[in-house]
């Protein structure tokens, strides 16, 4: 978040933003509610009731994974509710099929980047499961020019999270520095 990166966010703006996110989260189903819940959780809000509503009001396929489920898993991990997170992370595998549960963000690059970001940030132990398939897909989308400002921003966040989660042979860690 902007605050985590050291940017000043006026408290009145921050409070209004959290209020708007609570409205989206209270809808209790779909991508927007899951993403709002995730952002609230990252900002130290207790979001178990939002997650319970999402779980109750959403229908998920057995063989595919949606962005809604990824954001729910990340929220559960942040809340240290690993048993609940595991319900969704159990679907993590190489070559996963994604359900495009939001047309606005239905680009392959955006979805692959969210996948890499959440796995790297909250479930780094799963990186060995996905192998290099997601990175290859990200590279393919970028080389084909299939990107926009939203997918590019998500890709940068995903690569930063991936580098933080992946050790290298010489030092045991990568470091990403921002100027």
């Amino acid at each position: 978040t902007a605050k985590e990166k050291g940017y000043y966010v006026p408290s009145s703006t921050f409070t209004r933003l959290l209020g708007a996110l609570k409205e989206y989260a209270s809808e209790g189903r779909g991508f927007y509610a899951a993403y709002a819940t995730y952002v609230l959780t990252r900002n130290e809000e207790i979001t178990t009731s939002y997650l319970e509503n999402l779980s109750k009001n959403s229908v998920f396929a057995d063989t595919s994974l949606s962005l809604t489920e990824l954001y729910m898993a990340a929220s559960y991990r942040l809340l240290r509710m690993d048993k609940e997170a595991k319900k969704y992370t159990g679907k993590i595998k190489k070559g996963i099929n994604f359900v495009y549960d939001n047309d606005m963000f239905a680009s392959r690059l955006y979805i692959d980047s969210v996948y890499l970001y959440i796995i790297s940030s909250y479930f780094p132990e799963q990186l060995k499961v996905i192998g290099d398939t997601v990175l290859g897909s990200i590279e393919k989308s970028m080389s084909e020019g299939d990107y926009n400002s939203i997918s590019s921003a998500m890709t940068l966040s995903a690569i930063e999270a991936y580098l933080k989660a992946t050790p290298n042979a010489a030092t045991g860690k990568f470091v990403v520095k921002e100027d």
Side-chain angles (χ1 to χ4, degrees):
T1 64
K3 276 186 153 182
E4 291 171 343
K5 299 271 185 193
Y7 293 102
Y8 171 71
V9 179
S11 62
S12 61
T13 302
F14 190 70
T15 300
R16 283 195 317 271
L17 175 62
L18 291 179
L21 289 169
K22 287 176 184 178
E23 285 183 36
Y24 277 114
S26 67
E27 291 176 6
R29 63 183 163 81
F31 168 79
Y32 292 115
Y35 183 72
T37 300
Y38 165 73
V39 174
L40 288 166
T41 309
R42 278 192 62 181
N43 284 282
E44 301 177 356
E45 296 280 331
I46 302 299
T47 57
T48 49
S49 63
Y50 298 131
L51 289 164
E52 288 168 0
N53 285 336
L54 274 164
S55 183
K56 184 173 57 173
N57 296 329
S58 301
V59 177
F60 301 117
D62 291 336
T63 59
S64 58
L65 188 64
S66 68
L67 293 179
T68 300
E69 292 170 289
L70 281 172
Y71 282 118
M72 288 174 67
S75 296
Y76 278 126
R77 176 56 64 100
L78 285 167
L79 292 167
R80 300 186 193 284
M81 298 174 72
D82 290 339
K83 182 180 174 187
E84 288 80 1
K86 216 175 186 86
K87 290 177 189 173
Y88 304 103
T89 60
K91 293 182 180 183
I92 293 170
K93 62 183 178 182
K94 196 174 202 171
I96 188 73
N97 289 325
F98 282 100
V99 174
Y100 291 91
D101 58 351
N102 181 325
D103 290 338
M104 183 175 171
F105 299 111
S107 82
R108 182 86 244 171
L109 179 60
Y110 180 81
I111 290 171
D112 286 339
S113 296
V114 169
Y115 190 50
L116 183 62
Y117 172 78
I118 289 178
I119 301 306
S120 298
S121 297
Y122 304 106
F123 308 99
E125 69 280 1
Q126 296 284 347
L127 285 170
K128 64 182 178 277
V129 175
I130 64 171
D132 61 357
T133 55
V134 174
L135 287 170
S137 182
I138 288 171
E139 187 275 329
K140 183 177 187 269
S141 293
M142 296 294 289
S143 68
E144 292 175 354
D146 184 22
Y147 54 86
N148 57 39
S149 57
I150 293 171
S151 62
S152 297
M154 191 70 240
T155 301
L156 291 173
S157 294
I159 291 171
E160 180 181 27
Y162 178 76
L163 291 174
K164 285 181 182 176
T166 309
N168 76 22
T171 64
K173 281 198 160 186
F174 282 110
V175 177
V176 177
K177 293 185 178 182
E178 294 181 4
D179 292 325

